[in-house]
Amino acid sequence: TMVGAWERALSVFYQVYTYVCTVDPKKPEPIKGLVWFGPDVSYTSVFTPFYSTMNKLPASFQTGGPQKFSSKAAWWAFDFINSWSRLNFQLITNSDIKPLQKELEQNSRIMLANIEENISSQNKDEVINYLTKYCNDNGNMIVERWWELAAELVAKYADGYINLPNGQYATPNIELPRTVGYPSWWLDKTNYKQGPTTYEMK
């Protein structure tokens, strides 16, 4: 017999979490180590930064598991959206998830830069308290915004349509629901135009 395993991608639908650890020896001791933590599936998660010297983490990042749903758990916010995205993965990830993911991760990078600019005059304990507060506030904000996105997706893609409240998702403004359908380029490459348009009843 041959012993082995199938290759697998980093991001798979049953993924529980991902983390990226970085160490910069040139930085002051309290901010040398940084973890970017992504709950659930990495492709649809938001990587959230936490310094290794922090004295506590947000409560939502310390609780929860797949056996019982909890709106207090960061993991469930990301798992819910990843599961919901499978209604139409390409459409929802490209239109809704990836833009917000990019925005939140960019905000985190800006926050880290601001932290590093403002710690030079503080002692070690003050620095740890400072970065703990800002990283925790940032983590809580990300989870809160992800739950808001979850509620938006439930309404936007209800019943297999694209529902556009007040036209905010469309230009020009469209308030009536739209069908998802197929892209024109795909229909052009198939025999859709030559396909049956009526069916004889037997």
Side-chain angles (χ1 to χ4, degrees):
T1 59
M2 181 178 292
V3 179
W6 294 108
E7 294 181 5
R8 51 155 285 187
L10 177 64
S11 181
V12 291
F13 69 91
Y14 52 82
Q15 191 173 9
V16 179
Y17 61 86
T18 312
Y19 59 89
V20 178
C21 299
T22 64
V23 177
D24 189 340
K26 297 179 181 179
K27 291 182 178 180
E29 189 66 31
I31 60 172
K32 282 183 178 180
L34 185 69
V35 175
W36 290 84
F37 184 75
D40 200 57
V41 177
S42 56
Y43 189 76
T44 56
S45 186
V46 175
F47 283 83
T48 305
F50 299 108
Y51 286 102
S52 61
T53 54
M54 289 171 54
N55 51 37
K56 65 178 179 179
L57 291 169
S60 65
F61 283 83
Q62 301 184 60
T63 187
Q67 289 77 24
K68 184 177 180 180
F69 175 83
S70 173
S71 60
K72 296 180 180 180
W75 185 83
W76 269 109
F78 293 96
D79 183 77
F80 181 91
I81 282 186
N82 178 263
S83 297
W84 203 263
S85 71
R86 294 175 210 167
L87 291 172
N88 190 319
F89 189 77
Q90 183 177 17
L91 175 63
I92 294 176
T93 53
N94 290 337
S95 299
D96 303 282
I97 296 176
K98 303 304 284 186
L100 182 57
Q101 178 191 66
K102 181 178 180 180
E103 174 189 329
L104 294 175
E105 290 180 350
Q106 177 61 21
N107 289 344
S108 291
R109 286 190 285 270
I110 294 172
M111 178 201 68
L112 295 178
N114 290 336
I115 286 176
E116 294 185 16
E117 289 179 1
N118 290 293
I119 63 170
S120 58
S121 61
Q122 303 179 49
N123 63 45
K124 183 177 180 180
D125 290 339
E126 290 174 334
V127 169
I128 291 174
N129 289 333
Y130 180 82
L131 58 87
T132 296
K133 178 185 183 306
Y134 277 90
C135 287
N136 282 352
D137 287 349
N138 182 61
N140 288 330
M141 180 275 295
I142 288 173
V143 174
E144 180 179 353
R145 184 63 189 91
W146 219 242
W147 277 122
E148 290 174 357
L149 177 61
E152 293 167 10
L153 295 182
V154 169
K156 183 177 178 181
Y157 296 101
D159 299 324
Y161 289 91
I162 301 178
N163 303 290
L164 309 167
N166 301 320
Q168 71 182 82
Y169 296 111
T171 303
N173 288 350
I174 301 173
E175 295 187 359
L176 295 176
R178 296 187 307 181
T179 57
V180 176
Y182 294 91
S184 297
W185 66 263
W186 187 87
L187 295 174
D188 288 341
K189 290 182 179 296
T190 67
N191 62 351
Y192 173 78
K193 293 180 180 180
Q194 289 74 42
T197 57
T198 60
Y199 296 87
E200 295 293 333
M201 300 296 292
K202 294 184 179 180

